[in-house]
Amino acid sequence: MSLTTLSENRSHGGIQGVYDHTSDAVGTTMTFSVYVPPHEAGAKLPVLWYLSGLTCTHANVTEKGAYRRACAEHGIIFVAPDTSPRGDDVPDDEAYDFGKGAGFYVNALQEPWARNFRMRSYIEDELPALIAANFPADMARQGITGHSMGGHGALTIALRNQPRFKSVSAFAPIVSPLNCPWGEKALGGYIGPDKDKWREYDAVALIEDGARLPDLLVDQGTADNFLTEQLKTGLLALACKKAGIPATIRMQEGYDHSYYFIETFMEDHVKWHAGRLI
């Protein structure tokens, strides 16, 4: 359970760190960031996971996410993993939406992806154990959020792992990979042609199949150019309504898919998680 410290910087009274370790789950070195807010010695703090979107690493939200002030105020550890395995021996694809940077938080079944592309196991099992062993984390108080592909990951991981996550939110999530080009490409390539096996990686399908959340917060920009074809927020709203899941789905006028959008609403999301974790 050892890790290597790549950098640590003081911010808002706490420590923003970047670390790496050798991952058994994906078979390569993985880098992630952790912000630990100021706290009393011996205290155990709740954890908020943030899963990034296509083409991103841990660095995108760490450098542009504007979460540290709110995490310091509410006493929340913020963990930002990578989006896929990395390394010269890891298979890749020329397209931006498949291969490195596009792990989709699945355990791949198809070759050549099955050996390394096991981000589901990494996020659900391996990295939480590493966080618990090396940081003052109260793993009984976990929340999860994410953006786009990471919003898909946050929703599906939370739905499959209740009641582990006490709070769940997302920024512009891919809500139904079964019904969008990004999802069809990723799940077809990683999982294979049997669409019944895709359902455990589709938030709408998981809800239809009986999975539930205590409640949900989603922000989606109306000027997001991926909204109609790829994100399809309305499918999630309908699924939650049918299932009786309390869902606050906010259509934010004029906002796009960028980190300007995420930065605008990040502190609001941290506060919302704090109300369910503290």
Side-chain angles (χ1 to χ4, degrees):
M1 306 302 291
S2 63
L3 55 79
T4 300
T5 300
L6 302 181
S7 66
E8 289 186 334
N9 298 94
R10 182 162 293 278
S11 179
H12 294 280
I15 297 295
Q16 176 63 66
V18 178
Y19 311 91
D20 71 15
H21 72 112
T22 301
S23 168
D24 292 331
V26 302
T28 188
T29 298
M30 294 293 287
T31 303
F32 62 95
S33 75
V34 179
Y35 176 70
V36 178
H39 60 282
E40 294 182 0
K44 291 288 188 178
L45 308 177
V47 178
L48 178 57
W49 297 85
Y50 177 92
L51 305 185
S52 289
L54 286 167
T55 75
C56 292
T57 70
H58 72 282
N60 296 75
V61 72
T62 305
E63 296 169 2
K64 297 184 289 186
Y67 54 84
R68 280 173 285 270
R69 180 171 62 183
C71 286
E73 179 183 350
H74 296 290
I76 294 176
I77 293 173
F78 192 97
V79 181
D82 202 345
T83 54
S84 77
R86 309 276 176 175
D88 293 339
D89 295 330
V90 174
D92 198 10
D93 188 89
E94 293 181 355
Y96 77 95
D97 55 358
F98 196 76
K100 293 179 186 178
F104 268 82
Y105 305 99
V106 305
N107 280 353
L109 301 177
Q110 299 295 301
E111 297 300 337
W113 316 102
R115 180 170 60 89
N116 299 112
F117 281 73
R118 298 181 54 79
M119 290 301 292
R120 173 180 176 174
S121 291
Y122 180 70
I123 300 297
E124 289 185 354
D125 301 315
E126 186 176 40
L127 190 54
L130 190 73
I131 296 299
N134 290 277
F135 298 93
D138 180 356
M139 305 306 281
R141 293 186 290 163
Q142 295 184 69
I144 191 167
T145 188
H147 172 233
S148 193
M149 178 186 74
H152 140 78
L155 293 174
T156 55
I157 289 170
L159 284 161
R160 288 194 307 262
N161 289 276
Q162 284 303 302
R164 179 191 300 184
F165 295 99
K166 309 302 182 186
S167 57
V168 185
S169 76
F171 300 86
I174 302 170
V175 307
S176 185
L178 277 158
N179 292 291
C180 74
W182 278 341
E184 291 174 1
K185 179 176 182 178
L187 298 185
Y190 293 136
I191 306 302
D194 184 354
K195 289 192 175 183
D196 285 342
K197 294 180 180 178
W198 296 13
R199 295 185 70 83
E200 62 188 297
Y201 297 112
D202 183 298
V204 170
L206 284 164
I207 292 170
E208 291 173 347
D209 292 344
R212 296 292 182 264
L213 297 172
D215 59 2
L216 176 64
L217 172 64
V218 172
D219 276 311
Q220 171 64 59
T222 62
D224 190 324
N225 60 318
F226 299 117
L227 175 57
T228 301
E229 184 180 28
Q230 302 282 13
L231 308 177
K232 301 190 175 183
T233 309
L235 295 178
L236 178 64
L238 181 60
C240 288
K241 183 177 180 179
K242 288 182 176 179
I245 296 173
T248 301
I249 298 178
R250 308 186 299 197
M251 302 303 296
Q252 302 291 359
E253 187 65 32
Y255 284 91
D256 59 16
H257 201 68
S258 72
Y259 265 85
Y260 295 109
F261 157 64
I262 297 169
E263 178 189 5
T264 300
F265 299 102
M266 177 63 85
E267 290 194 4
D268 197 22
H269 278 240
V270 172
K271 181 179 178 181
W272 185 87
H273 284 274
R276 289 150 179 81
L277 296 174
I278 301 302

